Amino acid sequence: MSKSHFLIVIGLLVSLMACTNGSHTNKVTQWKSYSGDPDIEHKVDSVLRLMTLDEKIGQMNQYSGNFAATGEVNDNKSGEYLKKGMIGSTFNTFGADHIRMLQEQNLKYSRLKIPILFAADVIHGLETTFPIPLAEACSWDLDLMEKSARIAAEEATASGIAWNFAPMVDIARDPRWGRVMEGAGEDVYYGSLVARARVRGFQGINSYKDFAKPNTLMACTKHFVAYGAAQAGRDYHSVDISNRTLYETYLPPFKATVDEGVASFMTAFNDLNGVPCTGNKYIFTDILRDAWGFGGMVVTDYTAITEMIDHGYAANLKQAAKLSIDAGIDMDMISEGFVTYLKELVKEGKVSEKQIDVAVARILEMKFLLGLFDDPYRYCNAERQKEVVMHPDHLKAAREGAQRSIVLLKNDNNILPLKKDIVKRVALIGPFVEERESLNGEWAIKGDRNKSVTLMEGLREKYANSAVKFTYAQGTTLPAIDNATRHISETQIPDKSGFANAVGLAKKSDIILVAMGEKFHWSGEAACRTDITLPGNQRELLKELKKTGKPIVLVLFNGRPLDLSWESENVDVIVEAWYPGTMSGLAVADVLAGDYNPSAKLVLTFPRNVGQIPIFYNTKNTGRPFDENSPKDYKSSYIDSPNSPLFPFGYGLSYTTFEYSNPTISSVEMARGGNVIVSADVTNTGEVAGEEVVQLYIHDKVGSVTRPVKELKGFKKIHLEKGETKTVEFTIDEDLLSMYDIDMNWLAESGDFEVWIATSSSDESNHLEFTLLD
Ligand code: NOJ
């Protein structure tokens, strides 16, 4: 069906309903809309009136993949649903032309010609792939994250996609959990700001009216809620946390995205305190809808309705479907629980048609706002797709984004940067020197893994015609995961046959540059580990290389904090590159050569060993805090490991050094409704220009409930020329001091507060104090 024919049909129907009803208030259903716009609500209502119960339920049904791959509707089940107008949305199909063809089929076959909403997981870029979200968060550069999300949206919206299953805003404090790679790390304050930046970037709107532009992408905050607290870091595992922890730690980034205007939410797979999130009325109705006033739509995660049976919360799919709609869920991803049972449930009086109307209204509203009723093909612009996908400006941004995400963890004797004009023989060793497939990391949905630049390619380009000469040996391989068993493959355990050659080259070099890490599918969904050391025999190879006595630079490619206890003691330099995306090799070479001075800092603690997990900086003090200066018995400590992490939150080095001095506070007393201003001077005391992330931490010394030893409450990323000093200032007001008191009221309690202006969460050198008066 052509666009004009479609418009005539829909236009006539909508205006017909407008005439017959005459009033905006006499609606089929009353619901709190996302836009609050009576005209949009009226249009939604008009369409709702035309729909049969089957068609309504069909809108609540989401499929994955191609229901008509051959160009005509197949006689499969989804094809049949399509003919009945019973597919509201599909996901992870791509391409302007392909999606146009699917939409055409929908308009041709379905009675009411309601456009399908095409969705996808565009997590860190569409084709131009940016660093994994965890890495990007280490940039502490909100503009950068907003920009990469915008670029992802530009590429996705030209390729047929109107709805994105991102951002993932789950606070995560367990590096065993593979999905830490998708989020912004462990901190609530910072995670909330990143969540907002990503929603701004994807949606690109100032008001709901902007959704009608062809390059705006509806974002989806996921996974509601507390998915990151999965027991023992095992994916999909149960979550049992106090209501206080839920409110203090896990809810805030979600709330932040509601404040930013996010238009949709996704459920989490886990059960929360005994109730699976997908059937959890408390979180979806009481908190999200009633307390936060969210008017957008909610989709389940993949088969999450069905999974309530395995959770032991529903006896069958019919009951699960009822639990889910009762909880406030609008769309069923894959389970077919709604499409199979809602009609029956309505007939039996167990679900009301009003509940269905409300869910459908929310879905239709988004289709109206996205302009799909005006032009169902508005996201299918093959020309624009050709023009924008992998545009040189996008690649440039991806390279900058990768540079700014790389964390320098150790740099003894200033071995880096590796200057181009100083004669050096460098032995390149390790499975990641030429690894290409992994560089995009997981969830690089359409990122062509063959197009990513390897480290070898980046170095060859950077050091062409320079005094630096490379030799290369792979040394060992990366162990694989057996797809059939989802376990580390028994048949592909790396051997040591490559060690001798690698050690031989190392002996003839001045520096050994080792590139190691995890294969990309070792993190991400369902990719959890109990041992977070370098996989396979990579550490063993490092031990052999160490015996040569040559300096070792270790560059890491991985999707989670690793246990680097041996490496941090024994190699000279550690560069945490994560998975940098399409421009990987070039960006890493920029950093190694000093063309970009690293400025990233960790947003997730690196433990010394898995036994310390969960370990995060804003822990409680306990009644027996351990004091390293006077260790005594019966203090809160281990007998076989320090309490402190290997690398703390907020930590990262630069090729220059920064000195903090002159901490000042405007007043040692703060009146209610007032504020205090704290500041410190930061000086670049090294030899090159650089950027520093200056962090503000606050400790509420006594509370009606115990408070963390410190909490991040501000940061500024500043650029300093060599020798330059800047005064960095933060304003502290009541809002920044607020907490949930013993009765769960959000307020600031009077009393004493400590403040640190710091280079990382473990830096306590610039300390201030003040009192909040009654
Ligand atoms: C399951 C994942 O948990 C979710 O994040 C993703 O959006 C869906 N699959 C769809 O791919």
Side-chain angles (χ1 to χ4, degrees), residues 91-92 121 165 179 222-223 266 269 301-302 333 525:
F91 64 103
N92 290 350
D121 289 283
F165 295 150
R179 298 199 82 166
K222 69 187 189 186
H223 308 82
M266 186 185 289
F269 284 125
D301 203 344
Y302 201 106
M333 186 193 290
E525 189 177 345

Side-chain angles (χ1 to χ4, degrees), residues 700-707 739 741-742 749-750 752:
D700 184 347
K701 287 175 79 171
V702 179
S704 60
V705 290
T706 57
R707 307 297 301 140
M739 55 174 273
D741 75 356
I742 187 71
E749 292 183 337
S750 44
D752 295 339

